[in-house]
Amino acid sequence: MPVNLEGCRFFIKTFGCQMNENDSEHVAGLLIRAGAGKAPSPEESDIILVNTCAVRKKSEEKIDSFLGRLSPLKKDRDRVIGVLGCVAQLRRGELFKKRPEIDIIVGPDHYHELASLLSQKREGKLLKTSWNRVWHEIGSAETFRKSRVSAYVPIMEGCDNFCAYCVVPFSRGREKCRPAAKVLAEVQDLAGNGYKEVQLLGQNVTSYRDQETGEDFAGLLRKVSGVEGIEWIRFITSHPKDISPEIARIMADRPNICRQLHLPLQSGSTAVLERMNRGYSREDYLEKAALFKGLMPDIALSTDVIVGFPGETEADFEETLSVLKKVEFANIFSFRYSPRPRTAAARIADDVPLGIKRKRLIILQEVQKEIQLARNRTFIGKTFQVLCSGESQKDAGRYSGRSEGFQVVNFGSPRDVRDRFVDVLITGCGPYSLHGKALL
Ligand code: SAH
Ligand code: SF4
């Protein structure tokens, strides 16, 4: 069916993870194909889409307040307001009751139909959310990418792990994998179009399995690293129970796979990990981290940590701190536990008081800040290859990019080096970024 959104202007606000950012790039590409144009702000648009994240209570609250701010815009023009993503999938029709200004709710399994849904004139509201295990291919040609050198490439979606605290199996559905041939074709196409970096995406990339050929993540990674022209390959997120020595060996062998790994710990206490249903112990995690560090001493490891999971004692929390000290992560994302609908943990008492959760989060972040500062200081005087993403947001006339270890590097350069690899001499650092000057 020909889809026509000619003359319509759309604005997408994205919350959440890289998967959502990638989905928004797909949605933008599909709407542009149907004739619509991008608007610079919600005020100047005919269609406002909010791509949502449900992973923590705080994320849902932020989205609700954003939707509240859109409400006056509904009055001065005949606009369509749509909700996409994880909250759409999780809350479905409930959202219409809470926020009457919403016109359509579309879950991630229906983005390929979105342009057609928007172009049909209709009375009343529209709800389209469902899950199946079929991968809907939205290829490179339909994707509007923000960057001309770095691209997200989804390889799987959903999760079958059911960690006790996590809403993802309910908001993103069960695992489904993209055929390896399609992944490879997209990476080859990106390389042909001058892309230098790809990030393979999935809630659990290490669960990847091609439905037809049975190929696993290690096999896929090997194939992607054989694509000429792609200089940096990253992947996110890996699960500590599934990441294998084979993956470590491939990373160590292939120069175009970045020596960087995000490996969510969640807790350093085996008792808490068991109650979280994570499928590994503190010792298993430390062993895996040591394996990767042993093969690649310069690897940058990062992680996610939850504080205040039900029943977490002071001793459990101390165990988490001790893992941070042992592993010396390059970066961590840390969160206070919040109960999420439909999860197993939501059925047990959220018994760590808010004040204690807050205190633990501050301590954790302070400990990590010192680790990062000490680690970053060791880089002063070294030269890093940096993929420049553009001008620094804080400092006009300076540039910003990421190192192979995914660290933010801000630097001075006599020339515009946007979208290029550049060697940067590191001259200083803070706990969260490095600074230096381009060697041109
Ligand atoms: N697939 C990834 C994580 C996805 S969610 C993995 O397996 O680790 C991103 C992060 O949000 C999680 O790693 C966890 O640290 C945090 N998170 C998830 N549910 C949470 C909850 N109920 N409360 C607090 N943090 C949570
Ligand atoms: Fe959530 Fe666990 Fe699945 Fe990660 S592995 S998405 S934390 S259920």
Side-chain angles (χ1 to χ4, degrees):
M1 182 178 63
V3 172
N4 194 350
L5 290 175
E6 213 70 54
C8 279
R9 304 235 288 163
F10 68 88
F11 181 86
I12 307 180
K13 172 76 183 172
T14 308
F15 291 89
C17 64
Q18 292 95 331
M19 198 62 141
N20 270 9
E21 283 175 33
N22 174 69
D23 285 345
S24 291
E25 291 187 347
H26 276 162
V27 167
L30 291 168
L31 299 191
I32 289 169
R33 264 209 156 187
K38 278 190 130 196
S41 67
E43 289 77 8
E44 291 160 85
S45 65
D46 308 296
I47 302 169
I48 304 171
L49 298 173
V50 187
N51 194 358
T52 58
C53 168
V55 85
R56 283 171 295 278
K57 191 162 162 246
K58 215 164 144 187
S59 7
E60 265 202 87
E61 286 166 356
K62 253 173 47 189
I63 289 157
D64 191 52
S65 107
F66 182 79
L67 285 167
R69 275 181 274 136
L70 292 182
S71 164
L73 294 182
K74 195 70 195 165
K75 295 194 186 93
D76 64 84
R77 193 150 130 201
D78 186 21
R79 284 195 174 88
V80 174
I81 297 185
V83 177
L84 314 177
C86 296
V87 181
Q89 186 68 37
L90 189 74
R91 303 288 186 189
R92 297 179 215 168
E94 259 178 69
L95 283 172
F96 288 136
K97 283 189 214 124
K98 188 155 188 218
R99 294 263 167 221
E101 58 275 17
I102 298 171
D103 302 291
I104 66 166
I105 296 172
V106 178
D109 234 17
H110 294 278
Y111 294 160
H112 60 292
E113 302 165 83
L114 190 61
S116 142
L117 295 172
L118 286 167
S119 67
Q120 292 159 30
K121 275 248 171 290
R122 89 184 65 80
E123 293 296 314
K125 315 262 175 193
L126 182 104
L127 174 72
K128 201 101 196 191
T129 57
S130 66
W131 281 116
N132 59 49
R133 284 193 182 243
V134 180
W135 183 274
H136 285 294
E137 182 64 22
I138 303 178
S140 233
E142 286 100 2
T143 305
F144 178 87
R145 295 186 198 279
K146 286 204 189 96
S147 166
R148 284 178 296 160
V149 287
S150 178
Y152 295 126
V153 177
I155 66 165
M156 61 84 65
E157 191 185 359
C159 183
D160 293 350
N161 282 316
F162 294 93
C163 298
Y165 52 82
C166 185
V167 79
V168 169
F170 309 101
S171 64
R172 281 275 166 179
R174 299 301 104 79
E175 282 170 7
K176 57 185 172 189
C177 297
R178 188 178 184 192
K182 298 277 188 198
V183 174
L184 211 60
E186 181 165 16
V187 177
Q188 280 158 346
D189 185 54
L190 288 164
N193 283 307
Y195 278 81
K196 299 290 171 214
E197 178 181 51
V198 293
Q199 284 199 55
L200 307 179
L201 293 186
Q203 265 82 33
N204 287 290
V205 291
T206 38
S207 303
Y208 177 83
R209 195 162 288 276
D210 186 305
Q211 298 302 299
E212 287 207 350
T213 63
E215 179 150 62
D216 66 1
F217 180 65
L220 180 69
L221 190 58
R222 225 183 248 116
K223 281 192 179 149
V224 170
S225 94
V227 176
E228 203 141 322
I230 299 295
E231 296 183 40
W232 278 1
I233 299 162
R234 306 181 190 277
F235 51 90
I236 191 163
T237 303
S238 304
H239 198 298
K241 77 178 164 50
D242 300 320
I243 194 137
S244 61
E246 191 187 1
I247 295 172
R249 279 193 299 272
I250 299 170
M251 285 175 77
D253 277 359
R254 307 285 176 121
N256 59 358
I257 304 178
C258 291
R259 294 185 166 204
Q260 176 244 328
L261 180 70
H262 185 68
L263 200 60
L265 167 71
Q266 312 302 2
S267 169
S269 149
T270 298
V272 174
L273 287 169
E274 243 169 53
R275 290 203 306 279
M276 286 179 164
N277 189 30
R278 286 291 284 174
Y280 55 88
S281 65
R282 165 196 175 83
E283 288 68 34
D284 296 335
Y285 187 95
L286 288 170
E287 236 173 68
K288 293 258 165 103
L291 169 80
F292 279 79
K293 281 194 154 191
L295 281 174
M296 296 164 276
D298 54 346
I299 194 168
L301 295 175
S302 58
T303 203
D304 292 348
V305 176
I306 298 175
V307 298
F309 185 75
E312 184 189 69
T313 62
E314 215 46 46
D316 293 322
F317 175 63
E318 286 294 327
E319 289 210 273
T320 300
L321 292 180
S322 90
V323 173
L324 300 196
K325 288 175 192 160
K326 273 187 204 285
V327 178
E328 297 182 332
F329 293 104
N331 190 17
I332 69 165
F333 299 89
S334 48
F335 313 102
R336 271 188 271 134
Y337 168 74
S338 56
R340 305 307 292 132
R342 303 177 65 183
T343 60
R347 294 193 287 275
I348 51 176
D350 179 15
D351 60 358
V352 178
L354 184 60
I356 294 193
K357 284 183 188 164
R358 284 203 175 119
K359 200 180 103 213
R360 287 184 187 161
L361 192 65
I362 291 170
I363 295 171
L364 185 95
Q365 291 175 344
E366 277 304 312
V367 165
Q368 179 61 21
K369 191 172 158 189
E370 289 309 311
I371 293 169
Q372 281 177 210
L373 197 55
R375 188 174 180 273
N376 288 351
R377 283 195 183 122
T378 67
F379 300 139
I380 295 174
K382 293 194 172 150
T383 300
F384 280 161
Q385 199 187 19
V386 172
L387 183 55
C388 178
S389 51
E391 269 186 293
S392 156
Q393 283 177 348
K394 281 195 205 134
D395 272 322
R398 283 173 71 78
Y399 291 86
S400 189
R402 297 260 184 185
S403 66
E404 181 181 340
F406 212 55
Q407 272 196 293
V408 173
V409 184
N410 296 309
F411 58 96
S413 167
R415 282 207 307 274
D416 189 340
V417 285
R418 193 177 322 221
D419 293 341
R420 282 181 42 196
F421 281 110
V422 57
D423 284 336
V424 175
L425 173 70
I426 305 302
T427 54
C429 71
Y432 307 109
S433 62
L434 304 174
H435 18 114
K437 57 179 184 196
L439 300 175
L440 291 175

